[in-house]
Amino acid sequence: MSLKEELLVLKEKRARQFLEIQMLSSVNDTVYTRLGKTCAEIMFKEREILQETKNDFDEN
């Protein structure tokens, strides 16, 4: 799976988690922790993609 595909999967996961939070009347701290971890994973993937793109430009 490419980095962009992995990023898309993570963004879908984040959207599902956010919908879960909206639907619940009270939210457990672990739900917010999972959302935070997903957001961090997204940021890392975006950084990887940017680094990969930068390396492609540096090579040319």
Side-chain angles (χ1 to χ4, degrees), residues 13-28 31-32 34-35:
K13 179 179 177 182
R14 178 182 61 186
R16 284 192 308 274
Q17 289 172 335
F18 188 73
L19 286 173
E20 178 185 355
I21 288 170
Q22 287 182 313
M23 293 182 346
L24 296 172
S25 57
S26 67
V27 181
N28 190 325
V31 176
Y32 285 117
R34 280 194 329 233
L35 179 63

Side-chain angles (χ1 to χ4, degrees), residues 32-44:
Y32 285 117
T33 301
R34 280 194 329 233
L35 179 63
K37 286 181 179 180
T38 302
C39 290
E41 287 180 74
I42 288 170
M43 293 171 69
F44 283 123

Side-chain angles (χ1 to χ4, degrees), residues 4-5 9-12 14 16-18 21-23 30 32-34 36 39-40 46-48 50-51 54-55:
K4 290 182 181 181
E5 291 170 332
V9 168
L10 287 170
K11 286 184 176 185
E12 289 173 359
R14 178 182 61 186
R16 284 192 308 274
Q17 289 172 335
F18 188 73
I21 288 170
Q22 287 182 313
M23 293 182 346
T30 57
Y32 285 117
T33 301
R34 280 194 329 233
C39 290
E46 288 173 337
R47 188 170 71 187
E48 281 183 64
L50 286 173
Q51 188 64 36
K54 181 181 179 247
N55 289 340

